[in-house]
Amino acid sequence: MRVSTTAAAGLAIILLASCSPKIQQEKPRLPLPKDVHSYANPEQAVVSHLDLSLRVDFERKVLNGSVIHSVTGKGPLVLDTKDLTIFKTETSVDGQVYRPIEFKLGASDKILGAPLEIPLPEGSKFVRVSYETSPTAVALQWLTPEQTAGKSAPYLYTQGQPIYTRSWIPLQDSPAIRVTFKAKIQTQPNFFVVMGAPNDQRTAAPTGDYSFDMNQSIPPYLISMAVGEIQFRLIGGRTGVYTEKLMLDAANKEFVDLNSMVQAAEQLFGSYRWDRYDVLILPPSFPIGGMENPRLTFATPTILTGDKSLVSLISHELAHSWSGNLVTNATWSDFWLNEGITTYVERRIQEVLFGRQRSEMEFAVEIAELNQEMATLPAKDQLLHIDLKGRDPEEGVTLVPYVKGALLIRAIEDAVGRDRFDLFLRAYFDKFAFQSITTEGFENFVKEKFPDLKLDLKEWIYKPGIPASAPKISSYLLSEVDVELEKWKKGQAIRVIEWVPQQWLHFLRALPDNITLDQMASLDKQYRLTKTGNSEILDAWLILSIRHKYAPAQPRLEEFLQTVGRQKFIKPLYEELAKTPDGKARAKALFAKNKAAYHPIAASSIEALLAK
Ligand code: BES
Ligand code: ZN
């Protein structure tokens, strides 16, 4: 089903001819690869713009309204949907007069959802779908007031990546099919609505009536929205933070470097193309660390430590403004292009802001985590380009695309030298800007720019494990910790003065299996680990506390599982609990109690783990 180059060129001409002047798609589209995670048939009909009109109903926990697709092609138009109720479909030639047309909603697949097929009568350029979401839509989390910081109003936010947008908008949900969009969102008058789109109403009082115009084309997984008692504070220049009133000060303090981050990234990789860069800090149940929604990164409040020690997450999401949002993985098998290049760029931004030592240390910690995870993965999941046919794309989300991917990028840098490599990355972001790219496209570009590169790209991308020639990342800051650890094992006093959180993490993860409860108590007493405000350190400490049945930390564990929904933290905790029979019973009881507070994505993945 792969579209041939000539067919794609033809398609591009049609697209260009039908573009409104605002659409930034100056360049011909790359050939669209087959995406096994979408029912879309872009060679028959392709959508370039969406016009959304939705009402947010907190009482019924549904979004209700319509979306108009601007379509090119003879049809039929096939859209992805998941748990949507479709009321009506209509087509139009001029965008004024709409005529009803009968649609076909296919059987629903557990992973992909159901295809919605709409015939296109001759000359149709617009298709309107009237619909409603389900209260259990996977992309949406409806929070009760108790689940927010302010506790006075409900809250809603979306999470589109990888294939969840189809559960709140019927659309061609493939990362290679980019769209611009307009949106009219209506909610209660005291609520504020934000989207990953230009936002003129940023500093105005909430009205409950919002409109957005996103005139830069983005893949569907980046369409995003949040609704609640949200406020905005300018940090400086192009940057600011949105969050509930109670968290504004903390967020502002943590992100004072935000504007410098954008500048640092720009100097390295070319101009920032998205105008503003703002961060939305979500309530604690947000299931992931950060999501790079364009112009508006969504982030977990667990990075607000007071000491900026976890801001690399923001560097990461900001880096996606180039790798991911500007140049996008064409299919979920190419996900490593998004995350590997971003993890590399994240390192470079951290290096400018906090120095090479810290950046290398963070990389070394990630590589240790990769090695640990790699040992548990089947060979087929150790490849950068992973076959996901018949699988949920979430199964490809391991540290392999992130850290093995970043190591490959670093290996290329080491092979050609930093100056040449930086020129290469800039050229890559410029050449493929506002397009989606396959792994093969990336390989070809590398070969074109570095014809004599002595590096086995095929081995890196299509073979399991990490090539023996991979760069060795060492960090003297972590070596220092190893020295202290050896002393600690011998019962000697250790020096931990001014250890940064990553050093603590390294220490905790390296503690021997035969650590005694007395030793744990003494570490806790000296360094107040159970009470730490750093979520990464706490997570590592709670894992140890479960493993060794360290009683004093159990109340904190239960409180953490009750308030925090970030999968990266809570999944390993449930997993650790489930390793013993009584622990498993406790995990099930705790999960039953907390489940309603978790995001549907987090809840279902933990449920699956406890059912094993
Ligand atoms: N794009 C990802 C989040 C994502 C990946 C969501 C796959 C759904 C499917 C984001 O950029 C990310 O990687 N977030 C990380 C933090 C980062 C610092 C490694 C996270 O959420 O932990
Ligand atoms: Zn990422």
Side-chain angles (χ1 to χ4, degrees), residues 292 316-317 320 339 342 402:
E292 67 270 26
H316 178 99
E317 306 313 333
H320 275 304
E339 297 301 343
T342 291
Y402 287 80

Side-chain angles (χ1 to χ4, degrees), residues 87-351:
F87 299 126
K88 185 166 64 173
T89 55
E90 298 156 292
T91 61
S92 170
V93 172
D94 56 5
Q96 307 287 328
V97 184
Y98 281 85
R99 291 184 205 292
I101 187 139
E102 214 169 298
F103 62 84
K104 256 197 323 223
L105 189 61
S108 184
D109 176 84
K110 208 170 149 280
I111 298 169
L112 303 180
L116 173 65
E117 191 179 312
I118 305 156
L120 296 181
E122 177 102 45
S124 304
K125 290 206 177 64
F126 302 95
V127 175
R128 178 158 64 198
V129 184
S130 302
Y131 70 99
E132 184 168 281
T133 61
S134 147
T136 56
V138 275
L140 305 177
Q141 190 177 18
W142 298 88
L143 298 176
T144 62
E146 299 71 48
Q147 288 173 278
T148 65
K151 315 235 179 282
S152 58
Y155 198 106
L156 165 71
Y157 66 87
T158 65
Q159 166 57 34
Q161 196 181 16
I163 54 169
Y164 305 129
T165 301
R166 63 190 68 178
S167 77
W168 74 283
I169 309 172
L171 83 182
Q172 294 185 315
D173 196 3
S174 170
I177 305 179
R178 308 177 78 94
V179 289
T180 54
F181 68 84
K182 283 195 179 138
K184 280 200 188 323
I185 311 290
Q186 217 185 52
T187 178
Q188 275 113 295
N190 54 324
F191 285 179
F192 199 79
V193 180
V194 287
M195 288 189 89
N199 183 5
D200 304 331
Q201 287 150 284
R202 190 160 67 239
T203 49
T207 60
D209 236 323
Y210 288 81
S211 44
F212 300 91
D213 182 353
M214 180 58 172
N215 58 12
Q216 295 171 293
S217 68
I218 57 171
Y221 74 86
L222 291 178
I223 303 175
S224 59
M225 177 172 79
V227 185
E229 285 191 343
I230 299 168
Q231 297 191 3
F232 175 77
R233 173 138 356 135
L234 188 74
I235 289 179
R238 288 170 282 184
T239 63
V241 62
Y242 292 93
T243 190
E244 289 181 77
K245 193 173 177 187
L246 274 169
M247 293 192 285
L248 265 184
D249 283 335
N252 190 53
K253 186 162 168 254
E254 205 79 30
F255 301 148
V256 287
D257 299 316
L258 207 54
N259 206 48
S260 322
M261 278 184 175
V262 178
Q263 281 168 356
E266 262 191 327
Q267 260 152 34
L268 291 168
F269 304 112
S271 65
Y272 178 75
R273 322 281 182 109
W274 308 91
D275 187 28
R276 294 195 55 82
Y277 181 71
D278 296 316
V279 176
L280 170 69
I281 297 292
L282 287 123
S285 66
F286 188 53
I288 53 185
M291 180 63 214
E292 67 270 26
N293 297 317
R295 292 165 181 254
L296 185 62
T297 283
F298 283 24
T300 167
T302 62
I303 55 170
L304 304 180
T305 55
D307 64 5
K308 301 187 207 165
S309 57
L310 302 180
V311 294
S312 63
L313 184 135
I314 299 296
S315 295
H316 178 99
E317 306 313 333
L318 170 64
H320 275 304
S321 305
W322 286 262
S323 41
N325 300 2
L326 196 58
V327 182
T328 307
N329 52 209
T331 74
W332 297 114
S333 290
D334 307 304
F335 179 63
W336 78 273
L337 286 176
N338 270 19
E339 297 301 343
I341 300 177
T342 291
T343 301
Y344 171 86
V345 172
E346 167 199 339
R347 299 269 58 79
R348 296 291 304 276
I349 298 173
Q350 289 289 105
E351 188 179 318

Side-chain angles (χ1 to χ4, degrees), residues 344-586:
Y344 171 86
V345 172
E346 167 199 339
R347 299 269 58 79
R348 296 291 304 276
I349 298 173
Q350 289 289 105
E351 188 179 318
V352 174
L353 282 153
F354 303 106
R356 176 93 172 165
Q357 307 298 358
R358 170 151 166 196
S359 180
E360 290 291 276
M361 173 184 66
E362 288 173 348
F363 202 10
V365 169
E366 288 174 335
I367 291 165
E369 291 170 343
L370 168 70
N371 285 326
Q372 227 178 27
E373 186 178 21
M374 194 89 112
T376 70
L377 293 175
K380 68 176 179 17
D381 292 347
Q382 299 180 13
L383 316 184
L384 287 178
H385 186 269
I386 159 174
D387 183 2
L388 288 167
K389 200 166 170 33
R391 300 177 73 185
D392 188 325
E394 292 271 11
E395 291 182 35
V397 186
T398 66
L399 289 173
V400 171
Y402 287 80
V403 185
K404 183 180 171 183
L407 265 174
L408 164 56
I409 305 301
R410 171 70 170 258
I412 303 176
E413 183 207 319
D414 287 354
V416 303
R418 181 165 275 194
D419 291 347
R420 282 179 76 203
F421 187 69
D422 284 358
L423 287 174
F424 163 85
L425 263 191
R426 261 176 192 258
Y428 172 75
F429 293 137
D430 282 343
K431 173 152 186 191
F432 300 106
F434 296 102
Q435 298 186 42
S436 302
I437 180 169
T438 60
T439 298
E440 208 186 326
F442 174 82
E443 286 175 77
N444 291 337
F445 192 66
V446 173
K447 278 185 251 159
E448 179 193 320
K449 294 289 176 188
F450 303 125
D452 42 53
L453 181 70
K454 299 221 169 16
L455 196 119
D456 192 346
L457 278 182
K458 294 276 182 232
E459 181 191 4
W460 274 95
I461 297 171
Y462 301 100
K463 299 248 167 76
I466 298 171
S469 61
K472 302 280 174 283
I473 309 297
S474 61
S475 158
Y476 84 83
L477 290 169
L478 297 186
S479 312
E480 266 177 22
V481 176
D482 292 331
V483 171
E484 298 307 312
L485 188 71
E486 285 314 308
K487 287 200 223 153
W488 182 88
K489 284 182 187 164
K490 292 185 203 130
Q492 299 167 2
I494 58 171
R495 265 178 66 94
V496 302
I497 308 163
E498 296 195 344
W499 268 10
V500 294
Q502 284 74 15
Q503 288 176 298
W504 273 110
L505 265 185
H506 183 71
F507 179 80
L508 293 174
R509 288 175 180 163
L511 284 170
D513 278 342
N514 61 0
I515 185 170
T516 66
L517 284 176
D518 281 348
Q519 285 173 315
M520 285 192 68
S522 121
L523 282 174
D524 199 9
K525 187 161 166 245
Q526 276 191 58
Y527 308 114
R528 304 171 61 82
L529 293 162
T530 300
K531 293 211 168 76
T532 177
N534 185 297
S535 52
E536 295 275 355
I537 294 177
L538 181 63
D539 195 52
W541 178 245
L542 291 177
I543 294 270
L544 282 175
S545 300
I546 296 170
R547 193 172 295 159
H548 301 290
K549 301 200 163 51
Y550 177 64
Q554 301 306 315
R556 182 87 205 260
L557 167 69
E558 300 200 356
E559 179 218 82
F560 190 71
L561 289 175
Q562 200 179 334
T563 47
V564 172
R566 186 173 172 190
Q567 281 192 88
K568 178 187 165 195
F569 292 149
I570 62 175
K571 226 172 127 181
L573 291 171
Y574 280 107
E575 219 157 11
E576 192 62 41
L577 279 168
K579 282 180 181 168
T580 63
D582 53 329
K584 189 158 188 176
R586 185 167 164 227

